[in-house]
Amino acid sequence: MQKKRCRKLGMMRRVLTCAIALISLVALFSAHLQHIFFPPSHVVSMLPDPYNLPTQREIRYQKLSRERRWIRPYLSKAPLPALKLDGANGSLDSSKLWKPPPNRDFVPCVDPSSSYIGPQETRGYLLVHTNGGLNQMRAGICDMVAVARIINATLVVPELDKRSFWQDTSNFSDVFDEDYFISSLANDVKIIKKLPKELLTATRAVKHFRSWSGIDYYEQEIASLWDDYQVIRAAKSDSRLANNNLPPDIQKLRCRACYEALRFSPPIEAMGKLLVDRMRAYGPYIALHLRYEKDMLAFSGCTHDLSIEEANELTAIRENTSYWKVKDIDPIEQRAKGYCPLTPKEVGMFLKALGFPATTPIYIAAGEIYGGDTRMADLTYRFPILKNKEKLATDEELDPFINHASQMAALDYIVSVESDIFIPSYSGNMARAVEGHRRFLGHRKTISPDRKLLVRFFDKIANGTMKEGKNLSSRITEIHKRRQGSPRKRKGPITGTKGTDRFRSEEAFYVNPLPDCLCQKESTENGTSSTLIVK
């Protein structure tokens, strides 16, 4: 009995010893976890917090020095991860995914020639009514700067479009830095904020300038109006100046106006930079211009994957918008020709095929997506780190911009220009403007989807004759190797086209400012210096 009791006591001691040891280990492990997930307050205060959001008051009064402006000569790169990423092609080196195309040493060269002189005595005043969305107006404003120079006019700060689809009430100074615009172009064109009082009631020539016109048209036909009028009003500003065959100094002036003078207002620039910084907290990111909004689908007549009710709603919008001239559109033919924006689902398939992993941060540069979260579900499933203005900023921060489509679009423009990769789902005004700006700033990586070929693949997947995987990935990757924004001269008109169709088929000036505004650095033989060679 005594031996049994001793044996039991020994076992109990061992059990108690093990229990005490286990409790001690749990306590130590628990304390370690608490230190990691709930550090002391003095430690928390030392950690970087990308979500420590400043108030709108702080943004409004933030001083933006020239060095802190969002438009910089070269992109501020976030550190690229050194991991091997498993994409659709297998193991892909992440640096290849994010690596920009070779820029072949092209740099901006927009200084005027030695024979260029300042603005001459004005012959009258040019009033401009811009039309369209933000980027359509931007291009028109820059063209009208050049027109004012050509016809020797004093340019009155342009009036922004308040009657378009977006019904935006913003004035020029709400969207752009008005004083900077005037002062930075002082050596080119005289610009004033308002027409002189004595001319407010003067008879003015209201003119629809001919589309894609050359310098002779303006120097002769338009300048002749000064014989009878002191004020000329341009009723529209979009596509009123030719893309090509203009004097070099006029082309360089267009670039100075677009990429230097026409910067956004300080509140927009500050908010845009804040969004860029917050996006950078996730690492290198893609800016996806997902042009899948109600107005775009209604205008283009694209109804793929939509319900009958949705298709009818879009058709009604198109038929009731008077200035949209084309009413009867075949959506199947439109899509087959590559004229439709990719759907969110198609974009997800495209990105996966290119090799981007599910952890890729993506900024959605767009307004309200037609169909909302339901339409975005497939893209969100494939790439869960999807951000936009509303997710990166507080309601308070966005409140000054929220009811102004042009100002909201300007925020997307800034984040898109600054992105590591820009991908548009449709080649609209925003996509073209951002691509041109990124080319001007060093040929930053811009992947332009070949929609005509892509929809063929997607349709085969839908009907079961093709599957997602290595075969699809290799084909899509190969097709897009030469669609990443590398330097090339601006494309001219399509052979055989005539008249207006000839101009329409040209690549727009602001999509690709090469050769007019970009020069190539070439080293001398000893390699110690370089020269700029205009190509």
Side-chain angles (χ1 to χ4, degrees):
M1 288 291 292
Q2 185 68 26
K3 287 182 178 180
K4 286 184 178 180
R5 189 178 295 113
C6 289
R7 201 175 290 119
K8 285 183 179 178
L9 287 172
M11 289 179 64
M12 288 179 65
R13 287 194 189 97
R14 284 195 290 272
V15 169
L16 286 171
T17 302
C18 291
I20 291 169
L22 181 62
I23 291 170
S24 300
L25 285 171
V26 170
L28 285 170
F29 186 64
S30 176
H32 182 63
L33 286 178
Q34 183 176 8
H35 183 76
I36 293 174
F37 293 107
F38 304 99
S41 58
H42 72 278
V43 175
V44 172
S45 64
M46 296 169 63
L47 294 175
D49 184 8
Y51 308 108
N52 185 16
L53 309 182
T55 65
Q56 186 58 40
R57 179 181 178 85
E58 290 171 331
I59 294 173
R60 189 176 295 118
Y61 292 101
Q62 180 181 2
K63 297 291 185 181
L64 292 173
S65 67
R66 192 169 186 82
E67 291 73 25
R68 285 180 59 82
R69 285 184 58 233
W70 69 272
I71 301 176
R72 295 186 293 276
Y74 301 99
L75 187 64
S76 56
K77 288 286 186 184
L80 294 176
L83 302 174
K84 297 284 185 179
L85 301 176
D86 291 327
N89 283 325
S91 182
L92 292 174
D93 189 338
S94 66
S95 64
K96 291 181 180 178
L97 283 173
W98 298 97
K99 186 179 179 180
N103 65 16
R104 290 165 40 203
D105 291 327
F106 276 102
V107 295
C109 55
V110 296
D111 290 340
S113 67
S114 57
S115 61
Y116 191 80
I117 58 176
Q120 301 300 292
E121 184 178 352
T122 183
R123 297 188 64 187
Y125 296 86
L126 176 62
L127 299 177
V128 176
H129 179 83
T130 61
N131 59 294
L134 172 70
N135 295 289
Q136 195 171 336
M137 291 191 292
R138 276 176 58 91
I141 290 166
C142 298
D143 280 356
M144 289 301 110
V145 168
V147 168
R149 168 82 187 187
I150 294 169
I151 66 174
N152 244 3
T154 293
L155 177 66
V156 180
V157 167
E159 177 186 350
L160 300 191
D161 190 345
K162 296 179 172 64
R163 296 175 294 178
S164 64
F165 180 89
W166 301 274
Q167 298 291 301
D168 191 344
T169 59
S170 299
N171 294 315
F172 189 96
S173 59
D174 296 322
V175 181
F176 304 109
D177 189 332
E178 187 175 61
D179 291 331
Y180 185 80
F181 177 69
I182 293 171
S183 62
S184 64
L185 292 170
N187 293 327
D188 304 292
V189 178
K190 184 178 180 182
I191 305 174
I192 60 174
K193 294 183 179 181
K194 294 181 180 179
L195 193 66
K197 289 182 180 179
E198 62 272 17
L199 292 176
L200 290 176
T201 57
T203 304
R204 58 193 65 172
V206 180
K207 188 79 172 174
H208 280 74
F209 295 162
R210 195 174 64 200
S211 298
W212 296 293
S213 295
I215 195 165
D216 289 344
Y217 168 78
Y218 285 104
E219 286 184 336
Q220 297 170 17
E221 185 170 333
I222 299 302
S224 67
L225 295 173
W226 295 133
D227 296 337
D228 300 308
Y229 302 95
Q230 289 180 275
V231 180
I232 299 174
R233 180 178 179 84
K236 285 188 174 183
S237 66
D238 65 323
S239 304
R240 304 297 131 176
L241 196 57
N243 295 306
N244 304 305
N245 303 316
L246 293 175
D249 273 328
I250 293 298
Q251 297 289 59
K252 291 180 184 297
L253 173 57
R254 294 169 84 179
C255 286
R256 289 200 298 277
C258 186
Y259 304 123
E260 295 179 358
L262 197 61
R263 70 186 191 187
F264 294 115
S265 65
I268 290 176
E269 286 212 1
M271 189 70 238
K273 185 182 182 300
L274 202 62
L275 293 175
V276 170
D277 289 343
R278 289 174 186 170
M279 204 62 215
R280 282 257 178 265
Y282 295 94
Y285 71 92
I286 293 173
L288 172 63
H289 183 46
L290 192 58
R291 195 67 169 98
Y292 205 79
E293 298 136 324
K294 183 183 289 187
D295 67 295
M296 183 68 250
L297 297 175
F299 174 77
S300 63
C302 298
T303 59
H304 179 70
D305 264 1
L306 299 182
S307 67
I308 295 175
E309 292 77 16
E310 288 172 325
N312 290 338
E313 179 188 20
L314 297 176
T315 301
I317 293 173
R318 184 169 66 255
E319 291 177 347
N320 294 327
T321 305
S322 59
Y323 50 88
W324 290 353
K325 303 302 181 184
V326 181
K327 304 297 182 183
D328 188 18
I329 298 175
D330 182 340
I332 297 176
E333 180 183 349
Q334 190 84 337
R335 182 170 179 268
K337 290 181 177 179
Y339 296 161
C340 289
L342 298 177
T343 68
K345 180 179 180 179
E346 291 170 341
V347 169
M349 296 166 69
F350 175 60
L351 292 176
K352 182 179 179 182
L354 289 177
F356 288 100
T359 54
T360 303
I362 300 175
Y363 179 85
I364 303 296
E368 184 178 353
I369 301 301
Y370 191 59
D373 291 341
T374 301
R375 193 81 66 216
M376 291 290 290
D378 191 88
L379 177 59
T380 304
Y381 174 76
R382 292 172 184 266
F383 296 93
I385 310 178
L386 293 182
K387 303 295 176 182
N388 56 18
K389 300 179 291 295
E390 291 76 12
K391 290 181 180 178
L392 291 174
T394 66
D395 292 342
E396 181 190 12
E397 289 171 322
L398 287 180
D399 185 61
F401 317 104
I402 199 73
N403 294 318
H404 302 283
S406 293
Q407 297 180 47
M408 293 288 275
L411 296 176
D412 283 341
Y413 185 94
I414 291 172
V415 183
S416 296
V417 169
E418 277 294 297
S419 64
D420 296 270
I421 299 175
F422 175 66
I423 301 177
S425 67
Y426 183 76
S427 58
N429 290 314
M430 167 80 165
R432 293 195 291 266
V434 171
E435 179 184 351
H437 205 149
R438 289 171 67 84
R439 286 181 177 277
F440 183 80
L441 293 176
H443 290 91
R444 301 173 179 179
K445 191 167 188 175
T446 299
I447 303 176
S448 301
D450 188 332
R451 296 186 303 279
K452 187 175 180 179
L453 287 177
L454 286 174
V455 296
R456 295 179 188 176
F457 292 140
F458 298 148
D459 286 345
K460 288 180 180 180
I461 291 171
N463 62 33
T465 59
M466 179 181 277
K467 293 183 179 180
E468 290 189 68
K470 290 185 178 180
N471 180 44
L472 175 68
S473 178
S474 62
R475 295 178 71 176
I476 288 179
T477 300
E478 184 63 30
I479 289 168
H480 290 85
K481 279 183 178 178
R482 294 174 179 83
R483 301 176 66 92
Q484 301 192 12
S486 57
R488 59 169 176 77
K489 289 187 177 180
R490 189 167 57 255
K491 296 175 183 177
I494 295 176
T495 304
T497 54
K498 297 180 180 180
T500 302
D501 289 338
R502 177 177 174 82
F503 293 113
R504 287 186 184 280
S505 70
E506 291 180 331
E507 187 173 29
F509 178 81
Y510 297 107
V511 176
N512 184 4
L514 196 160
D516 309 272
C517 302
L518 293 171
C519 303
Q520 195 169 24
K521 290 192 298 184
E522 291 189 359
S523 299
T524 57
E525 290 185 5
N526 59 20
T528 57
S529 61
S530 62
T531 55
L532 290 178
I533 307 298
V534 179
K535 296 292 184 180

